[in-house]
Amino acid sequence: MTGEDPAGTKPAAMTDILLVPGLWNSGPEHWHTYWERERTDCRRVVQHDWEAPWCTDWVDALEAAVVASRGPVVLAAHSLGCTLVAHWAASSENVDKVRGALLVAPSDVEAPSYPKVAQGFSPMPLRKLPFPTIVVASSDDPYVTPERAALFARAWGGRLVDVGAKGHVNSDSRLGMWPEGVALLEELRAGSPR
């Protein structure tokens, strides 16, 4: 580990929230953007290429963001960002800085319908993640079936939360600050995601 403090040694109030968007970034009406705008503890992981990403580039950017954090972090990922977190966790030496991960609407990069512009993210990483995880799934998500979302949650060792019919849980879902997501985030930040 290159950081000074393991994930559990600083109080929850000092935990950084790293927002990990998916393909095409998170737009102005996305809950990521609301959180970033309204909270002082949220910081977006900025990628060099949002339109045609390479997995290795995105992993490097997430690694840099985790290393730059002053203490423990909670990852709040959406869509392809969830896949990114799973790839990053398999290779990073800084996973112990992560207090937990909120993985929302994980896109199924192996589905024939998934946009082919994302390179190197397939196959879907299915190893248990080394930190507490909550996977949020919508019953009518166009990018992942409920069955595949449940499979990802089990493989990653996470708790599955079904939020009903909320599409891809993105800007089109019109969630604003998304209080339900904030509550799940705070569970992870407090270190009690069960």
Side-chain angles (χ1 to χ4, degrees):
M1 177 181 118
T2 59
E4 311 87 38
D5 270 341
T9 61
K10 286 196 177 179
M14 298 183 71
T15 303
D16 288 335
I17 310 301
L18 292 182
L19 305 173
V20 187
L23 189 60
W24 305 308
N25 201 351
S26 297
E29 294 302 316
H30 196 287
W31 53 270
H32 264 169
T33 305
Y34 277 84
W35 290 6
E36 184 178 37
R37 195 168 45 227
E38 301 295 328
R39 298 177 59 126
T40 59
D41 57 355
C42 290
R43 182 166 51 94
R44 187 178 305 235
V45 176
V46 178
Q47 299 292 349
H48 173 69
D49 189 345
W50 294 109
E51 307 299 316
W54 285 86
C55 185
T56 53
D57 294 341
W58 278 31
V59 165
D60 290 346
L62 179 54
E63 177 74 359
V66 170
V67 168
S69 296
R70 60 188 183 268
V73 299
V74 171
L75 305 174
H78 178 256
S79 192
L80 186 62
C82 301
T83 310
L84 166 61
V85 167
H87 278 292
W88 170 82
S91 63
S92 176
E93 294 179 1
N94 292 289
V95 293
D96 55 346
K97 284 189 77 170
V98 178
R99 191 181 291 269
L102 180 64
L103 304 179
V104 181
S107 291
D108 188 351
V109 296
E110 296 175 358
S113 58
Y114 194 76
K116 303 300 180 224
V117 295
Q119 300 294 313
F121 291 89
S122 183
M124 194 70 156
L126 296 175
R127 289 188 183 147
K128 186 176 187 306
L129 296 177
F131 36 75
T133 303
I134 298 174
V135 177
V136 176
S138 164
S139 60
D140 61 348
D141 190 328
Y143 294 107
V144 66
T145 65
E147 295 77 20
R148 287 284 282 176
L151 169 71
F152 301 156
R154 282 193 308 274
W156 294 335
R159 182 176 105 216
L160 180 66
V161 175
D162 180 348
V163 292
K166 287 191 171 52
H168 194 44
V169 198
N170 59 4
S171 295
D172 294 340
S173 305
R174 300 286 183 206
L175 299 172
M177 276 297 287
W178 189 34
E180 183 178 11
V182 170
L184 296 171
L185 179 75
E186 293 304 330
E187 270 188 63
L188 288 161
R189 194 158 82 149
S192 55
R194 297 280 174 225

